Amino acid sequence: MDKPAELGDFLRTRRARLQPTAVGLTSYGARRVPGLRREELAQLAGVSVAYYTRLEQGQSQNASDDVLDAIARALQLSEDETMHLRNLARPLRRKRRPAPRPEAARPGTKQLIEAMDGIAAVAMDRRSDVLAWNELGHQLLAGHYDADSPYSAETRPNLTRMLFLDEHTRELYSRWDEEAKRSVASLRLVAGRHPDDLHLAELIGELSMKSTEFAGLWSRHPVLNCTFGTKHFQHPVVGQLELSFEVAQLPDDSAHRILMYSATPGTASEAALRLLLSGADDLSGYSADRAHREV
């Protein structure tokens, strides 16, 4: 990832969404672009126009945290956006690293998610490649995939790729637009933290080429750390579900996460999850049947 270019794009999108009157400035003359001018933003942040221009053009990679915080306040950035700004403004220090080993979930992680009762759980790496899932997680999110697909780098599903390029996954989310925005915003944050991740850059490039919807969302530079909330599903087997989700970061340097879905006790969604799990044996031919119909 070209960090200076990314930084400039990010700052421009955030300037464009602020109107002078909204930040206490008087607007004079015609405006060629929406939002604040560079000189107006520099004035609000208390930095020189020349300095801010160099920063936005990627010519200054040594901005202090105080300066970045002042710019973040002037742009009215959220906590997640401020963190992203710092990541983009930090110089990229390239290190000689050993060749990356294939990602794999730890045995203890697999054991943990398999022991979760009534919870659909998926272990992922930072790119949202699925490293492991329990039976309910598999049936909820990807019943048309082979149950063993996460355990090989060649067949491993990626939740973001599925969301934009897999028609069955698109049908699964009854509020697909909302899920797409959330997914891209989360991926933006990860890309800012790991600008030298070649596989992540390849994923972003692939999605940008193959999905105009992804490309459009990506160009807006959304940033959000999505770790909890509610998602709505239209499952092909058990119908509508409203599920809470939580994302837990594993306490090591792997950047692996566990995505967990649960239903409010006593609701129709809880009954649907139980039905989905109890019928797993009957659904064992689901993947093969759908694959056959698609050929």
Side-chain angles (χ1 to χ4, degrees), residues 140-188:
L140 173 67
L141 298 179
H144 56 299
Y145 276 72
D146 188 274
D148 292 330
S149 59
Y151 308 118
S152 168
E154 288 72 27
T155 59
R156 180 169 293 155
N158 176 278
L159 295 185
T160 308
R161 181 184 289 111
M162 291 167 61
L163 183 65
F164 285 94
L165 303 183
D166 183 280
E167 64 175 288
H168 301 307
T169 303
R170 178 183 286 266
E171 294 169 357
L172 178 64
Y173 293 94
S174 53
R175 300 183 182 181
W176 185 88
D177 290 345
E178 179 182 298
E179 181 65 16
K181 292 175 184 176
R182 184 157 42 191
S183 177
V184 172
S186 179
L187 189 64
R188 265 289 186 190

Side-chain angles (χ1 to χ4, degrees), residues 20 35 72 80 104 134 157 161 172 217 259 262:
D80 290 338
N134 62 10
R161 181 184 289 111
L172 178 64
L217 288 170
L259 170 62
S262 63

Side-chain angles (χ1 to χ4, degrees), residues 98-107 124-127 129-131 150-156 199 254 256:
R101 294 176 298 176
E103 297 272 5
R106 293 200 311 262
M124 311 176 294
D125 66 10
R126 66 191 181 207
R127 310 174 196 97
D129 285 343
V130 177
L131 306 178
Y151 308 118
S152 168
E154 288 72 27
T155 59
R156 180 169 293 155
H199 295 307
S254 68
H256 292 179

Side-chain angles (χ1 to χ4, degrees), residues 127-129 158 160-161 165 187 197-209 214:
R127 310 174 196 97
S128 294
D129 285 343
N158 176 278
T160 308
R161 181 184 289 111
L165 303 183
L187 189 64
D197 187 327
L198 177 60
H199 295 307
L200 181 60
E202 290 173 345
L203 173 65
I204 294 167
E206 176 191 1
L207 293 173
S208 297
M209 291 292 293
F214 176 89

Side-chain angles (χ1 to χ4, degrees), residues 22-58:
V23 294
L25 297 177
T26 302
S27 179
Y28 297 101
R31 290 179 176 268
R32 293 178 298 172
V33 294
L36 295 179
R37 299 186 176 106
R38 284 175 178 167
E39 56 268 26
E40 291 169 334
L41 192 281
Q43 176 186 342
L44 289 171
V47 299
S48 72
V49 177
Y51 181 85
Y52 178 78
T53 299
R54 290 197 303 273
L55 184 66
E56 192 172 284
Q57 292 177 343

